Amino acid sequence: MRSWGWFVSRVMRLSVRWCRLCPWRGRSKRARRLRELWSYGRLLLNSLYFNVLTNSDTVLDCVFEPVYCIVDNVTRWFGVVFVCLVILLTSSVVLIVYLCVLPLIFETYPTHWILWHLCYGHWNLVMVVFHYFKATTTSPGYPPQEKSDVPSVTICKKCIVPKPARTHHCSICNRCILKMDHHCPWLNNCVGHFNHRYFFSFCVYMTMGCVYCSISSKDMFFDAYNAVESEYQTSPPPYTFREKMFHKSIIYLWVLTSSVAVALGGLTLWHVVLITRGETSVERHINRKETKRLREIGKVFRNPYHHGRGQNWKILFGVEERSHWLTRVLLPSNHLPPGDGLTWECPAYRTDTMTI
């Protein structure tokens, strides 16, 4: 059975033969141009089949390479826009809380509830700002570019350098990332070995802050919504401009924080599952394919980086003592994660399972 490449070559050959038999074949410039196009097209076709390892996937990658390049550059540029958007939205929520919510709390809540709101709200705000700043500014970690004695599992096709275990290439950053999880446009940075804890902590505390704002302003939201609806009546209430702005600000606050709590909460729960299993987002897809492949041949796949549910969380947060749950998890801490991201300790499994 002939390949599609043979048919393409045959069509090109017949096209040139038809051009040579046309009445205007005496026009040497046009004929020379067609011969050059034929030679160039034939060279391109042969370059796609320079060895037996080339397949249709390689051809598609070559065809869509300009599209990939445009997407990567646009994503890199939009990362700055997303970071500015996060800062702008978070600042607007904090401003509304200080100008609208807290004064109402001071007037209507008892003293112990006021102290609780002040302590919890400011602690949550500090944790969100600290972890977002560290997640965006901390390097995820890169493998050495020069020759070294670090063990590697493969060679990166883009960087042409050895890749250690759990290292993957990011097409947006155009570099290999140690223990790469994914490229986050909201951080304009990759999530890797050295900033994975900052990213996850930011997701957790931002979700907690949005849930806190949504619950605290729920009653004020319903009152503000009813007040806005009453403005469309035949005889609307005589609200002042300040009161109208207050109602619209409360509605904006509740809708924004509730939406972010649902969306970001789902992402946080997904990463909770991955961390519990000792996987990253990239490894999740790889491990699923490997599990299916080994199941077909009667073997069981074991994640070599799964140290147990509790131990996986200790490794992520860098917890070595009980006091570290307070000083390194519940308080801002810039300690480094355990290990260098180049080599990984794998727990021993039973002999009746297969470890990859």
Side-chain angles (χ1 to χ4, degrees), residues 166 179 181-182 191-192 195-204 267-281 283-284 303 305-318 325:
R166 311 189 80 178
K179 191 195 167 187
D181 188 274
H182 69 287
V191 178
N195 64 346
H196 191 186
R197 175 176 67 89
Y198 297 130
F199 164 77
F200 178 76
S201 298
F202 164 73
C203 291
V204 171
L267 177 65
T268 304
L269 290 177
W270 168 245
H271 280 278
V272 168
V273 175
L274 293 178
I275 295 171
T276 304
R277 295 176 176 176
E279 298 175 327
T280 62
S281 299
E283 292 171 350
R284 174 61 177 167
N303 181 13
Y305 311 113
H306 180 45
H307 296 263
R309 297 178 179 178
Q311 188 63 24
N312 290 336
W313 286 97
K314 291 181 179 179
I315 293 175
L316 174 72
F317 288 115
W325 288 107

Coordinates of all heavy atoms in Angstrom, one line a residue, residues 166 179 181-182 191-192 195-204 267-281 283-284 303 305-318 325:
R166 N 11.4 14.0 36.7 CA 10.3 14.9 37.0 C 10.5 16.3 36.4 O 9.8 17.2 36.7 CB 10.1 15.1 38.5 CG 10.0 13.8 39.3 CD 9.6 14.0 40.7 NE 8.2 14.2 40.8 CZ 7.5 14.3 42.0 NH1 8.2 14.4 43.1 NH2 6.2 14.5 42.0
K179 N 10.6 19.5 38.4 CA 9.3 19.1 39.0 C 8.2 20.0 38.5 O 7.4 20.6 39.3 CB 9.4 19.1 40.5 CG 8.2 18.4 41.2 CD 8.1 18.8 42.6 CE 6.7 18.4 43.2 NZ 6.6 18.9 44.6
D181 N 4.9 21.4 37.3 CA 3.5 21.1 37.5 C 2.7 21.7 36.3 O 2.0 21.0 35.6 CB 2.9 21.7 38.8 CG 1.5 21.2 39.1 OD1 0.6 21.9 38.6 OD2 1.4 20.2 39.8
H182 N 2.8 23.0 36.1 CA 2.1 23.6 34.9 C 2.6 25.0 34.8 O 3.3 25.5 35.8 CB 0.6 23.6 35.0 CG 0.1 24.5 36.1 ND1 0.2 24.1 37.5 CD2 -0.6 25.7 36.1 CE1 -0.4 25.1 38.2 NE2 -0.8 26.0 37.4
V191 N 5.0 26.8 37.7 CA 4.9 26.2 39.0 C 5.9 25.0 39.0 O 5.6 24.0 38.3 CB 3.5 25.8 39.3 CG1 3.4 25.1 40.7 CG2 2.6 27.0 39.3
G192 N 6.9 25.0 39.8 CA 7.9 24.0 39.8 C 8.3 23.6 41.2 O 7.6 23.9 42.2
N195 N 8.7 26.8 43.9 CA 7.6 27.6 44.2 C 6.2 26.9 44.2 O 5.2 27.5 44.2 CB 7.5 28.8 43.2 CG 7.2 28.3 41.8 OD1 7.3 27.2 41.4 ND2 6.9 29.3 40.9
H196 N 6.3 25.6 44.2 CA 5.0 24.8 44.3 C 4.3 25.1 45.6 O 3.0 25.2 45.6 CB 5.3 23.3 44.1 CG 4.1 22.5 43.9 ND1 4.1 21.1 43.9 CD2 2.8 22.8 43.7 CE1 2.9 20.6 43.6 NE2 2.1 21.6 43.6
R197 N 5.0 25.1 46.7 CA 4.3 25.4 48.0 C 3.7 26.8 48.0 O 2.6 26.9 48.5 CB 5.4 25.3 49.1 CG 4.8 25.6 50.5 CD 5.9 25.4 51.5 NE 7.0 26.4 51.4 CZ 7.0 27.6 52.0 NH1 6.0 28.0 52.7 NH2 8.1 28.3 51.8
Y198 N 4.4 27.8 47.4 CA 3.8 29.1 47.4 C 2.5 29.2 46.6 O 1.6 29.8 46.9 CB 4.8 30.1 46.8 CG 6.1 30.2 47.7 CD1 7.3 30.1 47.1 CD2 6.0 30.5 49.0 CE1 8.5 30.3 47.9 CE2 7.1 30.6 49.8 CZ 8.4 30.5 49.2 OH 9.5 30.6 50.0
F199 N 2.6 28.5 45.4 CA 1.4 28.5 44.6 C 0.2 27.8 45.3 O -0.9 28.4 45.3 CB 1.7 27.7 43.3 CG 0.5 27.3 42.5 CD1 -0.2 28.3 41.7 CD2 0.0 26.0 42.5 CE1 -1.4 27.9 41.0 CE2 -1.1 25.6 41.8 CZ -1.8 26.6 41.0
F200 N 0.4 26.6 45.9 CA -0.7 26.0 46.5 C -1.2 26.7 47.7 O -2.4 26.8 47.9 CB -0.3 24.5 46.9 CG -1.4 23.8 47.6 CD1 -2.4 23.2 46.9 CD2 -1.3 23.6 49.0 CE1 -3.4 22.5 47.6 CE2 -2.3 22.9 49.7 CZ -3.4 22.4 48.9
S201 N -0.3 27.3 48.5 CA -0.7 28.1 49.7 C -1.5 29.3 49.2 O -2.5 29.7 49.9 CB 0.5 28.5 50.5 OG 1.2 27.4 51.0
F202 N -1.1 29.9 48.1 CA -1.9 31.1 47.6 C -3.3 30.6 47.2 O -4.3 31.3 47.6 CB -1.2 31.7 46.4 CG -2.0 32.6 45.6 CD1 -2.4 33.9 46.1 CD2 -2.5 32.2 44.4 CE1 -3.2 34.7 45.4 CE2 -3.3 33.1 43.7 CZ -3.7 34.3 44.2
C203 N -3.4 29.5 46.6 CA -4.8 29.0 46.2 C -5.6 28.8 47.4 O -6.8 29.1 47.4 CB -4.6 27.8 45.3 SG -3.9 28.0 43.7
V204 N -5.0 28.2 48.4 CA -5.8 27.8 49.6 C -6.2 29.1 50.3 O -7.4 29.3 50.7 CB -5.0 27.0 50.6 CG1 -5.7 26.8 51.9 CG2 -4.7 25.6 50.0
L267 N -10.1 24.3 41.6 CA -8.7 24.1 41.3 C -7.9 23.6 42.5 O -7.0 22.8 42.4 CB -8.1 25.4 40.7 CG -6.6 25.4 40.3 CD1 -6.3 24.4 39.2 CD2 -6.1 26.8 40.0
T268 N -8.2 24.2 43.6 CA -7.5 23.9 44.9 C -7.8 22.4 45.2 O -6.8 21.7 45.6 CB -7.9 24.8 46.0 OG1 -7.6 26.2 45.6 CG2 -7.1 24.5 47.3
L269 N -9.0 22.0 45.1 CA -9.3 20.6 45.5 C -8.6 19.6 44.5 O -8.2 18.5 44.9 CB -10.8 20.4 45.4 CG -11.7 21.1 46.5 CD1 -13.1 20.8 46.3 CD2 -11.3 20.5 47.9
W270 N -8.5 20.0 43.2 CA -7.8 19.1 42.3 C -6.3 19.0 42.7 O -5.8 17.9 42.6 CB -7.9 19.7 40.9 CG -7.0 19.1 39.9 CD1 -6.0 19.7 39.2 CD2 -7.1 17.7 39.4 NE1 -5.4 18.8 38.3 CE2 -6.0 17.6 38.4 CE3 -7.9 16.6 39.7 CZ2 -5.8 16.4 37.8 CZ3 -7.6 15.4 39.0 CH2 -6.6 15.3 38.1
H271 N -5.7 20.1 43.1 CA -4.3 20.0 43.5 C -4.2 19.3 44.9 O -3.1 18.7 45.1 CB -3.7 21.4 43.6 CG -3.3 21.9 42.3 ND1 -2.1 21.6 41.7 CD2 -3.9 22.8 41.4 CE1 -2.0 22.3 40.5 NE2 -3.1 23.0 40.3
V272 N -5.2 19.3 45.7 CA -5.2 18.5 46.9 C -5.1 17.0 46.6 O -4.3 16.3 47.2 CB -6.4 18.8 47.8 CG1 -6.6 17.8 48.9 CG2 -6.3 20.2 48.4
V273 N -5.9 16.6 45.6 CA -5.8 15.2 45.2 C -4.5 14.9 44.6 O -3.9 13.8 44.9 CB -7.0 15.0 44.1 CG1 -6.8 13.5 43.5 CG2 -8.3 15.2 44.7
L274 N -3.9 15.7 43.8 CA -2.6 15.5 43.2 C -1.5 15.4 44.3 O -0.7 14.5 44.2 CB -2.2 16.5 42.2 CG -3.1 16.6 40.9 CD1 -2.6 17.8 40.0 CD2 -3.0 15.3 40.1
I275 N -1.5 16.3 45.2 CA -0.5 16.3 46.3 C -0.6 15.0 47.1 O 0.4 14.4 47.5 CB -0.6 17.6 47.1 CG1 -0.3 18.8 46.2 CG2 0.3 17.5 48.3 CD1 -0.6 20.1 46.9
T276 N -1.9 14.6 47.4 CA -2.1 13.4 48.2 C -1.5 12.2 47.5 O -1.0 11.3 48.2 CB -3.6 13.3 48.5 OG1 -4.1 14.4 49.1 CG2 -3.8 12.1 49.4
R277 N -1.6 12.2 46.2 CA -1.1 11.0 45.4 C 0.4 11.2 45.1 O 1.0 10.3 44.5 CB -1.9 10.9 44.1 CG -3.3 10.6 44.3 CD -4.1 10.5 43.0 NE -5.5 10.1 43.1 CZ -6.3 10.1 42.1 NH1 -5.9 10.5 40.9 NH2 -7.6 9.7 42.3
G278 N 1.0 12.3 45.4 CA 2.4 12.5 45.1 C 2.7 12.7 43.6 O 3.7 12.3 43.1
E279 N 1.8 13.4 43.0 CA 1.9 13.6 41.5 C 1.8 15.1 41.3 O 1.4 15.9 42.1 CB 0.7 13.0 40.8 CG 0.7 11.5 40.9 CD -0.5 10.9 40.2 OE1 -1.6 11.6 40.2 OE2 -0.5 9.8 39.7
T280 N 2.3 15.5 40.1 CA 2.1 16.8 39.5 C 1.0 16.7 38.4 O 0.6 15.6 38.0 CB 3.4 17.4 39.0 OG1 3.9 16.6 37.9 CG2 4.4 17.5 40.1
S281 N 0.6 17.9 37.9 CA -0.4 17.9 36.8 C 0.2 17.1 35.6 O -0.6 16.4 34.9 CB -0.8 19.3 36.5 OG -1.3 19.9 37.6
E283 N 2.6 14.8 35.6 CA 2.7 13.4 35.9 C 1.4 12.7 36.0 O 1.4 11.4 35.8 CB 3.5 13.2 37.2 CG 4.9 13.7 37.2 CD 5.6 13.7 38.5 OE1 4.8 13.6 39.5 OE2 6.8 13.9 38.6
R284 N 0.3 13.4 36.2 CA -1.0 12.7 36.3 C -1.3 12.1 34.9 O -1.8 11.0 34.9 CB -2.0 13.8 36.7 CG -3.5 13.3 36.6 CD -3.7 12.1 37.5 NE -5.1 11.7 37.5 CZ -5.5 10.6 38.1 NH1 -4.7 9.7 38.6 NH2 -6.8 10.3 38.0
N303 N 3.4 4.6 41.6 CA 4.1 5.9 41.5 C 5.3 5.9 42.3 O 5.3 5.8 43.6 CB 3.1 7.0 42.0 CG 3.7 8.4 41.8 OD1 4.7 8.6 41.2 ND2 3.1 9.4 42.5
Y305 N 7.1 8.3 43.3 CA 7.3 9.4 44.2 C 6.2 9.6 45.2 O 6.0 10.6 45.8 CB 7.4 10.7 43.3 CG 8.3 10.6 42.2 CD1 7.9 10.5 40.8 CD2 9.7 10.4 42.4 CE1 8.8 10.4 39.8 CE2 10.6 10.3 41.3 CZ 10.1 10.3 40.0 OH 11.0 10.1 39.0
H306 N 5.4 8.5 45.4 CA 4.4 8.5 46.4 C 4.9 7.9 47.7 O 5.2 6.7 47.8 CB 3.2 7.7 45.9 CG 2.0 7.6 46.8 ND1 1.5 8.7 47.5 CD2 1.3 6.6 47.2 CE1 0.5 8.4 48.3 NE2 0.3 7.1 48.1
H307 N 5.0 8.8 48.7 CA 5.6 8.4 50.0 C 4.5 8.2 51.1 O 4.9 8.0 52.2 CB 6.6 9.4 50.5 CG 7.8 9.6 49.7 ND1 9.0 9.0 49.9 CD2 8.0 10.4 48.5 CE1 9.9 9.4 49.0 NE2 9.3 10.2 48.1
G308 N 3.3 8.1 50.7 CA 2.2 8.0 51.7 C 1.5 9.4 51.7 O 2.1 10.4 51.5
R309 N 0.2 9.4 52.1 CA -0.5 10.6 52.0 C 0.0 11.7 53.0 O 0.2 12.8 52.6 CB -2.0 10.3 52.4 CG -2.7 9.4 51.4 CD -4.1 9.0 51.8 NE -4.8 8.2 50.9 CZ -6.0 7.7 51.0 NH1 -6.7 8.0 52.1 NH2 -6.5 6.9 50.1
G310 N 0.2 11.3 54.2 CA 0.7 12.3 55.2 C 2.1 12.8 54.8 O 2.4 14.0 54.9
Q311 N 3.0 11.8 54.4 CA 4.4 12.2 54.1 C 4.4 13.1 52.9 O 5.3 14.0 52.8 CB 5.2 10.9 53.9 CG 6.7 11.2 53.8 CD 7.3 11.8 55.0 OE1 6.8 11.6 56.1 NE2 8.4 12.5 54.9
N312 N 3.5 12.9 51.9 CA 3.5 13.8 50.7 C 3.3 15.2 51.1 O 3.9 16.1 50.6 CB 2.5 13.3 49.8 CG 2.8 12.0 49.1 OD1 4.0 11.6 49.0 ND2 1.8 11.3 48.6
W313 N 2.4 15.4 52.1 CA 2.1 16.8 52.5 C 3.2 17.4 53.3 O 3.5 18.6 53.2 CB 0.8 16.8 53.4 CG -0.4 16.6 52.6 CD1 -1.1 15.5 52.3 CD2 -1.1 17.7 51.8 NE1 -2.2 15.7 51.5 CE2 -2.2 17.0 51.2 CE3 -0.9 19.0 51.6 CZ2 -3.1 17.7 50.4 CZ3 -1.8 19.7 50.8 CH2 -2.9 19.1 50.2
K314 N 3.9 16.6 54.1 CA 5.1 17.1 54.8 C 6.2 17.5 53.9 O 6.9 18.5 54.1 CB 5.6 16.0 55.8 CG 4.6 15.7 57.0 CD 5.2 14.7 57.9 CE 4.3 14.4 59.1 NZ 4.8 13.4 60.0
I315 N 6.4 16.7 52.8 CA 7.4 17.0 51.8 C 7.1 18.3 51.1 O 8.0 19.2 50.9 CB 7.6 15.9 50.8 CG1 8.1 14.6 51.5 CG2 8.5 16.3 49.7 CD1 8.2 13.4 50.6
L316 N 5.8 18.5 50.8 CA 5.4 19.8 50.1 C 5.7 21.0 50.9 O 6.3 22.0 50.5 CB 4.0 19.7 49.6 CG 3.4 21.0 49.0 CD1 4.0 21.2 47.6 CD2 1.9 21.0 49.0
F317 N 5.2 20.9 52.2 CA 5.3 22.1 53.1 C 6.7 22.2 53.8 O 7.0 23.2 54.4 CB 4.2 22.1 54.1 CG 2.9 22.4 53.6 CD1 1.9 21.4 53.6 CD2 2.6 23.6 53.0 CE1 0.6 21.7 53.1 CE2 1.3 23.9 52.5 CZ 0.3 22.9 52.5
G318 N 7.5 21.2 53.6 CA 8.8 21.2 54.3 C 8.7 21.0 55.8 O 9.5 21.6 56.5
W325 N 4.3 23.1 61.5 CA 2.9 23.3 61.0 C 2.5 24.8 61.3 O 1.6 25.3 60.6 CB 2.0 22.3 61.6 CG 2.1 20.9 61.0 CD1 2.7 19.9 61.7 CD2 1.8 20.4 59.8 NE1 2.7 18.8 60.9 CE2 2.1 19.1 59.7 CE3 1.2 21.0 58.6 CZ2 1.9 18.3 58.6 CZ3 1.0 20.3 57.5 CH2 1.3 18.9 57.5

